[in-house]
Amino acid sequence: MDQEFLTARQAATALGVSRSTLYAYVSRGMLRSEAVPGDPRARRYGRAEVERLLSRKALRRDPEGSVPTALDWGTPVLESAITLIEGGRLFYRGHDALLLARRWSVEEVAALLWTGDSEDSTHLFAADRAPQVELPAAADRLEPVERCQVALPLAAVDDFAAWDLRPSALALTGARIVRLLISVVSGRATSPAGLVASLDQDARPGAAAALRGALILCADHELNVSSFTARCVASAESTLYDVVGAGLGALRGRRHGGCSSQVEALMREIEGAGEVRRVLADRLRRGEEIPGFGHPLYPAGDPRAKLLLELAGAVRGGAATLEPIDRLITAARALIGEEPTVDVALVALARVLELPPGGPVALFALGRSLGWIGQAIEQYGTGRLIRPRARYSGPRQGEA
């Protein structure tokens, strides 16, 4: 057994539990297992993940002594009624997110996240509430998410109502911000026909359903780093413009939404080399990760990716365009036994829709902005400042 992996017996021993309890951890999404190469009946467990789970157990036994690891995949630090990830499924306020992605509009899901009532979507997204911003000429050199980062403070200057932090006012500000982001990414004013129509410029068969699915499936994912960042900013009672700007900064990181940029680069590498397995094997040989595969919260596979790949394939011409992505998924599944994450699916959809570079991250950002706003509204309502304490580890006075 490789040093970075443990057998079931070793993992159970390390955690101090029985084998049946170990398997229960996997079924509840607390721990991920994968097939052992050459022996599909056996499972192995990443040593790092076992150690993280052990740290969480230690935190429950000794909160004070376990502070250094509390925020690293630790126990929940905030209560929230917005999103639940349980049993390999994703729910928004008790609604299955996959069903919402098929049946609801983006506006309805936004209202559900922000106010708890999807029927609020009509007045929240009235057509005359979209801020207009003229970006500087230099912004043409930026990718879509970067242009959004430029546009937000420019729009905030004239939006005095953004300082009204009452729940009803916050939801209206959130709608203005989402319309602003859509217009910046699409390069044109938002359409009265709705947010998805504003993005679906070519109106290809199947494209609207795929775009709607992408925005809804990316809307929220519990306390990921960008959502936690958004809540921290909201707890300081900054405006939603600052909240969304901070969320964008966190999302672009390589270990968050920026992973889709790594998948884009991987696809370019594969297409240049012409052989998927060789490229992936070379990465493994160099000790590099294969981006976009395996999610610790979904040991059986990311359900968002599965649905989004299905929707992308249903776009006219999508099946043929996705052939290289399909080969990547097949090769990764055979080599490392992992399923694709939403990052791979976003790259697939961006290719089908012929989006420019940065398109997958832009789709992620547009969708996740709905969640940041919802998380922020919930945080404003607590009236509490998020202010963790630090355990000092530097020199004391006179020791430096």
Side-chain angles (χ1 to χ4, degrees):
M1 179 67 64
D2 294 340
Q3 208 168 29
E4 62 180 306
F5 292 101
L6 300 176
T7 64
R9 179 182 59 79
Q10 291 170 330
T13 299
L15 292 168
V17 300
S18 65
R19 293 274 287 272
S20 60
T21 299
L22 177 73
Y23 301 145
Y25 286 167
V26 173
S27 67
R28 294 201 298 266
M30 298 169 61
L31 185 65
R32 180 177 57 176
S33 69
E34 62 180 58
V36 175
D39 186 0
R41 293 177 299 177
R43 307 294 292 179
R44 64 183 186 181
Y45 304 78
R47 181 183 296 275
E49 287 197 34
V50 171
E51 290 175 350
R52 280 195 291 268
L53 180 55
L54 191 61
S55 296
R56 295 203 295 273
K57 294 178 66 174
L59 175 64
R60 289 192 290 271
R61 292 193 302 269
D62 180 14
E64 177 66 22
S66 301
V67 165
T69 59
L71 296 180
D72 182 13
W73 284 96
T75 57
V77 294
L78 294 172
E79 288 190 0
S80 175
I82 296 176
T83 297
L84 172 67
I85 302 171
E86 185 175 69
R89 300 172 67 188
L90 175 65
F91 301 88
Y92 299 154
R93 295 196 185 275
H95 298 266
D96 188 317
L98 271 67
L99 293 180
L100 297 181
R102 289 185 182 276
R103 301 173 182 175
W104 287 30
S105 70
V106 174
E107 290 87 345
E108 287 173 328
V109 171
L112 176 70
L113 294 175
W114 302 348
T115 73
D117 187 350
S118 63
E119 293 185 2
D120 288 338
S121 61
T122 302
H123 79 270
L124 288 178
F125 288 92
D128 60 347
R129 291 179 179 145
Q132 300 297 316
V133 172
E134 185 174 344
L135 296 179
D140 292 341
R141 304 200 305 269
L142 303 178
E143 290 193 349
V145 171
E146 294 170 325
R147 291 200 298 273
C148 289
Q149 290 178 296
V150 173
L152 282 166
L154 295 176
V157 169
D158 296 319
D159 194 347
F160 304 118
W163 287 103
D164 186 347
L165 303 186
R166 293 174 300 165
S168 58
L170 286 166
L172 289 170
T173 300
R176 294 195 299 275
I177 290 175
V178 170
R179 292 176 66 87
L180 169 68
L181 299 180
I182 292 281
S183 67
V184 170
V185 170
S186 67
R188 62 181 183 180
T190 52
S191 168
L195 300 176
V196 169
S198 301
L199 289 173
D200 186 20
Q201 298 185 26
D202 297 328
R204 292 170 59 183
L211 285 167
R212 182 183 70 237
L215 298 186
I216 291 174
L217 292 173
C218 289
D220 201 62
H221 209 236
E222 203 224 43
L223 286 181
N224 52 82
V225 63
S226 62
S227 294
F228 185 69
T229 298
R231 290 191 76 124
C232 288
V233 175
S235 78
E237 296 194 350
S238 299
T239 72
L240 281 177
Y241 285 92
D242 297 312
V243 165
V244 174
L248 288 173
L251 184 78
R252 290 183 60 207
R254 292 180 298 182
R255 298 183 65 180
H256 194 9
C259 180
S260 61
S261 296
Q262 297 177 50
V263 176
E264 283 186 291
L266 174 61
M267 287 304 303
R268 290 192 294 269
E269 183 180 353
I270 289 171
E271 289 167 340
E275 186 178 349
V276 181
R277 289 179 58 85
R278 172 65 62 185
V279 171
L280 300 188
D282 286 346
R283 279 180 169 258
L284 294 175
R285 189 178 296 113
R286 295 192 298 264
E288 299 174 4
E289 293 184 353
I290 297 176
F293 288 87
H295 197 298
L297 293 178
Y298 300 115
D302 188 337
R304 301 170 300 170
K306 183 177 180 181
L307 176 54
L308 190 51
L309 287 168
E310 175 190 327
L311 293 172
V315 177
R316 187 180 63 190
T321 304
L322 291 181
E323 194 274 335
I325 297 284
D326 292 337
R327 287 192 287 112
L328 168 62
I329 293 172
T330 299
R333 187 180 288 140
L335 281 174
I336 61 174
E338 298 286 6
E339 296 297 320
T341 66
V342 72
D343 302 287
V344 172
L346 289 171
V347 170
L349 179 57
R351 286 181 156 234
V352 167
L353 299 179
E354 300 178 348
L355 300 183
V361 183
L363 288 176
F364 201 157
L366 292 176
R368 188 55 54 88
S369 66
L370 307 180
W372 295 331
I373 293 165
Q375 295 280 353
I377 291 173
E378 189 176 60
Q379 185 61 41
Y380 287 124
T382 70
R384 298 178 61 185
L385 179 69
I386 298 175
R387 205 300 191 183
R389 293 298 309 279
R391 173 170 288 176
Y392 181 68
S393 60
R396 298 289 179 177
Q397 186 176 1
E399 296 177 353

